[in-house]
C-alpha cells in the first residue's frame, strides 16, 4: 500500500505575498481553475480579514464549485475567523506564532496567552462545524517542549490537521526529519508542512518531512512566496512520485501549462535551468548527450521523469557544442534532405556562429541549411509594408500589407501596444491559420534608446509543430513582425513537406 501525499497550494495567498506581485481577481480565478485541473487537494485562496477585496476574491473562488477544498487564512482572532466563515470557505487555517522571538517582538504575547488563544480559536472554528488547520508559526525556531504542548492542545481542542511551518526557512533535511518524527510521536491527526526556501532547501525539507511522517505539503506554483519563496509545486510533486514512489492526486502532465500561466500573470520568469518546468529541463546541446538521447532518452535524462510526464517536450539545440547526430536529426525532423558533405558545411557555420557568442535558434539552423542546400522555397508570407500608430490617447493600431501565397493582402488590427497590434495584423492577413504565438522575448543588445532589439519568437501550428525564429532591428515592432513571419514561413514549408 503506497502512501498518498496531499497537496495544499498557497500560490494565491503566500505566493501573492511575493514582493512586487499582485494578482487581479480574474487572474486568481483562472489560477484556481488551473489548480483544480492539476488535481491540487486544497487551495488557500486568501486571507479574508485582510481586506474587503480579499474577502470577495476568496468568496468567489469558494463558491465556484471547484473540486479542491477552498481554504481561508485567519489569525487566532474571532473577527478573522468570522471573515473566513463569511467567505464560505471549506477549511479555516488559523495560525499563531509559537517561537519566543515572534512571541516577544511580533505577537507581543506570552506562551500561555498564545496557547489559550489558539485553543479558543480552534474551539470557535469547530463550534461552527468547520474543518480546522492549525499552524504553529515559526515552528522550526520554537522550543520543542512548547511546540509539542501546543500541538497536543489544539489536537484535543479538535484541530483536524496541524501544520509545522519552517516560516523563515532555517531547516536542513536531517533536522526537519527529526522535528517531524518528534511531533508525529505525540499527535495522531495528519501533519502538514510549509517550507520556505531561504537556503534553497524548501523542497528537500518538505521531502524529509514526508519521510518522517508528514501527510500533506504546502507548495506554490514556481516556488513563489515571501523572500526566497516556498517549496516549488512541480519539483515537490515529481520528487515524491518519481524518486520516492509515493502517490499523489496531481495530474502531472499539466505542470508545465500551470507554471506558464502563473509566470504570465505574475511576470516573474523562471530561469531556464529551473527543474521540471524550465525551458532547458529537457534540452540537449552537447554532442555526446544529444547522440545519447537520440539512441535512448534515459542515457542523459532522469528516465524516472520524462518530458511527457510533466507536459514538456525534449529539445535538441543547435549551438557550438552540438554534434552531427543532433543536427542531422533536427534537419531530418524539419524535412531537409542533406548529404554528409553538406552536413559538415552546416556544422562549421553553426559552430562559427556559436563562437561569435550568438544563440543559434532553430530558424538560424534552417536558414543555414537552406543556404547550403540551395533549398529555398517560395515563402508563404512576405512583408511589403508595415505601419503602426500608437500614443497615450489612442488605441495602438497596425496595418500590414503582405504577399500571402502570391496574393497581396492588407489587414489592420488594434492591440494593447504597438507590438501586439502588429502581431494581430499578421494574423489578420494570414486568415484562420491555427498558428499560435507561444513565446515572445525581446532583448536589448546595446544600451541606449537606439539599442538593437533582438526578438525571439516561438510559433506553434495546429499540429503542434513548434519553431523559434529571431530578428534583430533598431525598431522593436519591425523586428517582432519579421521574427514572426520567419517562423510562419518555416512552419508552412514543413507542413507542405509532411504530405
Ligand atoms: Mn509562508
Amino acid at each position: 500500500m503506497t502512501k498518498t501525499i496531499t497537496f495544499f497550494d498557497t500560490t494565491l495567498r503566500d505566493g501573492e505575498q511575493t514582493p512586487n506581485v499582485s494578482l487581479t481577481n480574474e487572474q486568481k480565478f483562472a489560477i484556481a481553475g488551473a489548480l483544480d485541473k492539476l488535481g491540487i487537494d486544497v487551495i488557500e485562496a486568501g486571507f479574508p480579514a485582510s481586506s474587503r477585496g480579499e474577502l470577495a476574491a476568496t468568496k468567489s473562488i469558494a463558491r465556484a464549485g471547484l473540486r479542491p477544498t477552498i481554504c481561508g487564512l485567519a489569525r487566532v482572532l474571532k473577527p478573522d475567523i468570522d471573515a473566513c466563515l463569511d467567505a464560505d470557505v471549506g477549511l479555516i487555517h488559523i495560525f499563531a506564532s509559537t517561537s519566543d522571538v515572534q512571541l516577544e517582538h511580533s505577537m507581543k504575547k506570552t506562551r500561555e496567552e498564545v496557547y489559550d488563544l489558539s485553543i479558543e480559536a480552534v474551539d470557535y472554528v469547530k463550534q461552527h462545524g468547520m474543518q480546522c488547520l492549525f499552524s504553529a508559526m515559526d515552528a522550526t525556531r520554537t522550543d520543542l517542549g512548547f511546540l509539542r504542548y501546543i500541538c497536543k492542545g489544539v489536537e484535543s481542542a479538535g484541530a483536524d490537521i496541524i501544520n509545522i511551518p519552517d516560516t523563515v526557512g532555517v531547516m536542513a533535511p536531517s533536522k526537519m526529519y527529526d522535528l517531524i518524527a518528534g511531533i508525529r510521536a505525540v499527535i495522531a491527526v495528519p501533519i502538514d508542512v510549509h517550507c520556505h526556501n531561504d537556503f534553497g532547501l524548501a523542497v528537500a525539507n518538505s521531502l524529509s518531512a514526508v519521510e518522517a511522517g508528514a501527510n500533506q505539503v504546502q507548495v506554490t506554483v514556481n516556488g513563489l512566496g515571501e523572500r526566497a519563496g516556498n517549496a516549488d509545486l512541480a519539483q515537490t510533486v515529481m520528487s515524491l512520485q518519481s524518486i520516492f514512489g509515493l502517490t499523489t492526486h496531481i495530474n502531472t502532465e499539466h505542470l508545465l501549462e500551470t507554471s506558464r500561466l502563473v509566470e504570465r500573470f505574475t511576470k516573474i520568469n523562471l530561469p531556464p535551468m529551473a527543474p521540471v518546468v524550465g525551458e532547458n529541463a529537457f534540452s540537449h546541446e552537447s554532442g555526446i548527450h544529444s547522440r545519447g538521447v537520440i539512441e535512448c532518452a534515459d542515457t542523459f535524462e532522469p528516465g524516472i521523469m520524462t518530458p511527457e510526464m510533466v507536459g514538456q517536450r525534449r529539445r535538441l539545440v543547435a549551438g557550438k557544442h552540438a554534434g552531427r547526430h543532433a543536427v542531422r536529426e533536427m534537419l531530418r525532423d524539419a524535412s531537409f534532405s542533406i548529404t554528409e558533405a553538406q552536413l559538415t558545411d552546416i556544422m562549421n557555420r553553426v559552430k562559427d556562429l556559436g563562437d561569435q557568442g550568438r544563440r543559434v535558434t532553430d530558424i538560424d539552423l534552417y536558414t543555414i541549411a537552406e543556404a547550403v542546400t540551395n533549398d529555398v522555397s517560395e515563402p508563404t508570407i512576405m512583408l511589403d509594408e508595415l505601419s503602426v500608430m500608437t500614443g497615450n490617447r489612442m488605441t495602438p493600431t497596425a496595418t500590414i500589407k503582405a504577399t500571402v501565397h502570391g496574393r497581396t493582402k492588407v489587414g489592420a488590427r488594434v492591440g494593447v501596444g504597438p507590438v501586439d497590434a502588429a502581431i494581430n495584423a499578421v494574423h489578420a492577413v494570414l486568415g484562420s491559420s491555427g498558428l499560435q504565438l507561444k513565446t515572445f522575448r525581446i532583448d536589448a543588445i546595446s544600451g541606449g534608446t537606439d539599442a538593437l532589439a533582438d526578438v525571439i519568437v516561438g510559433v506553434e501550428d495546429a499540429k503542434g509543430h513548434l519553431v523559434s525564429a529571431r530578428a534583430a532591428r533598431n525598431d522593436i515592432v519591425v523586428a517582432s513582425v519579421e521574427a514572426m513571419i520567419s517562423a510562419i514561413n518555416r512552419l508552412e514549408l514543413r507542413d507542405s513537406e509532411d504530405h
Side-chain angles (χ1 to χ4, degrees), residues 13-14 167 194 196 226 230:
R13 203 278 301 164
D14 205 320
T167 305
H194 173 105
H196 272 276
E226 303 195 78
N230 290 80

Side-chain angles (χ1 to χ4, degrees), residues 10 62 69 104 128 137 147 161 176 195 206 211 278 346 351 387 390 421 443 453 457 474:
T10 183
T69 301
E104 186 181 342
H128 288 85
M137 184 152 74
L147 183 62
I161 175 165
M176 194 67 181
C195 296
S206 302
E211 283 187 287
I346 292 167
K351 284 174 192 279
S387 62
T390 190
D443 294 328
V457 300
N474 291 103

Side-chain angles (χ1 to χ4, degrees), residues 18 108 133 285 297 325 349 437 481:
T18 306
K108 311 213 186 280
L133 163 66
E285 180 176 315
H325 268 76
R349 296 198 198 192
L437 184 63
V481 168

Side-chain angles (χ1 to χ4, degrees), residues 442-445 450-455 471-476 479:
I442 300 175
D443 294 328
I445 293 174
D450 61 346
L452 199 60
D454 190 14
V455 176
R473 287 275 189 172
N474 291 103
D475 185 310
I476 204 167

